[in-house]
Amino acid sequence: MTTTTPAARKVPTGAFNASRTGATAARVLRQLRHDPRTIALMILIPCVMLILLRYVFDSSPRTFDNIGASLLGVFPLITMFLVTSIATLRERTSGTLERLLAMPLGKADLIAGYALAFGTVAVVQSALATGLAVWGLGLDVTGSFWLLLLVALLDALLGTALGLFVSAFASSEFQAVQFMPAVIFPQLLLCGLFTPRSAMHPVLEAVSDVLPMSYAVDGMNQVLHHTDVTTTFVRDVLIVAGCAVLVLVLGAATLRRRTD
């Protein structure tokens, strides 16, 4: 009779496991619960920025309507990118990632766990910011509130994925912050927030066509101006969601145990 050795029964660390992913997410959420400043940064800052934006254009409510929806997606993306990249890098520099990956925990489990934890915070963040913009600040949206929330949530998840990805290439928290001008600012300038993408130089327009923030902003504008779900809106949502998944996969592939 053939017996199975303990080594043969061991789950390969590269295989995805839902229970290990859930345990990782629970650990990250417990840590966040004891860090009120980080929670405030992730949840409250987008709301504060929207309030400031509303009263900057106090004498021109239509201007707030025109750009408020777009920034409703941009603010959560930037916030989640910044917090996630720094938090993940801190785990690696402290040796936590090295200890975790020495256990039967694959890189896919770790990245998925972090994405699930920060994604949970992103749900709260997006719901608060969207509710505040529509019901508290009077953002005039033609489409459904729920579609607006969906795009805001996907944008926050994209920011989480980008933050997890770039953290693998930084050796300090300062370097993680330095990735923002390289990763976020070009997308911010080319996403169509300041001028229609069709009015840009053809080269810049072509570049903007491959940047996910362009579709995040376009998706918000679709909800702003259309009552029904348009094919363009569906395209935008699928591209943003697909980019988030792709970046998470790349993040799992490039994750390092420790910082040299």
Side-chain angles (χ1 to χ4, degrees), residues 18-71:
S19 62
R20 295 197 298 262
T21 297
T24 301
R27 181 186 64 81
V28 175
L29 288 173
R30 284 195 299 269
Q31 289 180 331
L32 288 176
R33 186 180 62 184
H34 295 96
D35 190 354
R37 288 178 296 182
T38 299
I39 293 177
L41 177 63
M42 288 190 292
I43 294 179
L44 298 181
I45 291 301
C47 295
V48 172
M49 296 302 293
L50 286 170
I51 292 172
L52 288 176
L53 182 69
R54 167 63 182 85
Y55 290 104
V56 163
F57 298 108
D58 189 43
S59 60
S60 180
R62 291 304 304 170
T63 303
F64 176 71
D65 290 337
N66 290 333
I67 68 173
S70 299
L71 291 177

Side-chain angles (χ1 to χ4, degrees), residues 110-145:
L110 197 63
I111 288 294
Y114 274 89
L116 182 60
F118 285 108
T120 302
V121 178
V123 171
V124 178
Q125 179 199 70
S126 301
L128 286 176
T130 305
L132 173 66
V134 175
W135 296 317
L137 301 177
L139 180 67
D140 187 11
V141 179
T142 302
S144 168
F145 165 83

Side-chain angles (χ1 to χ4, degrees), residues 3-237:
T3 59
T4 304
T5 63
R9 290 195 300 265
K10 184 178 179 180
V11 178
T13 56
F16 177 80
N17 183 279
S19 62
R20 295 197 298 262
T21 297
T24 301
R27 181 186 64 81
V28 175
L29 288 173
R30 284 195 299 269
Q31 289 180 331
L32 288 176
R33 186 180 62 184
H34 295 96
D35 190 354
R37 288 178 296 182
T38 299
I39 293 177
L41 177 63
M42 288 190 292
I43 294 179
L44 298 181
I45 291 301
C47 295
V48 172
M49 296 302 293
L50 286 170
I51 292 172
L52 288 176
L53 182 69
R54 167 63 182 85
Y55 290 104
V56 163
F57 298 108
D58 189 43
S59 60
S60 180
R62 291 304 304 170
T63 303
F64 176 71
D65 290 337
N66 290 333
I67 68 173
S70 299
L71 291 177
L72 184 59
V74 171
F75 287 156
L77 190 156
I78 293 175
T79 305
M80 295 305 295
F81 170 85
L82 191 60
V83 172
T84 305
S85 60
I86 292 176
T88 308
L89 179 65
R90 189 177 299 167
E91 292 269 86
R92 196 170 72 245
T93 54
S94 66
T96 301
L97 284 185
E98 186 175 14
R99 292 192 296 271
L100 289 172
L101 291 175
M103 303 167 59
L105 182 70
K107 291 182 178 181
D109 299 320
L110 197 63
I111 288 294
Y114 274 89
L116 182 60
F118 285 108
T120 302
V121 178
V123 171
V124 178
Q125 179 199 70
S126 301
L128 286 176
T130 305
L132 173 66
V134 175
W135 296 317
L137 301 177
L139 180 67
D140 187 11
V141 179
T142 302
S144 168
F145 165 83
W146 299 107
L147 294 179
L148 199 69
L149 176 59
L150 172 63
V151 181
L153 176 58
L154 289 175
D155 294 345
L157 293 176
L158 176 61
T160 299
L162 289 171
L164 288 170
F165 176 64
V166 303
S167 67
F169 303 98
S171 58
S172 67
E173 294 181 15
F174 179 67
Q175 285 188 3
V177 174
Q178 286 180 312
F179 272 106
M180 180 172 285
V183 177
I184 298 298
F185 287 178
Q187 297 193 65
L188 190 62
L189 292 174
L190 299 177
C191 68
L193 182 63
F194 302 104
T195 186
R197 291 192 291 135
S198 58
M200 297 178 184
H201 187 280
V203 174
L204 295 181
E205 183 181 1
V207 173
S208 72
D209 288 340
V210 299
L211 298 177
M213 192 183 290
S214 300
Y215 299 95
V217 170
D218 192 52
M220 285 293 189
N221 288 330
Q222 290 294 312
V223 180
L224 183 66
H225 298 296
H226 298 87
T227 56
D228 300 323
V229 177
T230 64
T231 55
T232 302
F233 174 82
V234 174
R235 180 208 63 182
D236 294 336
V237 166

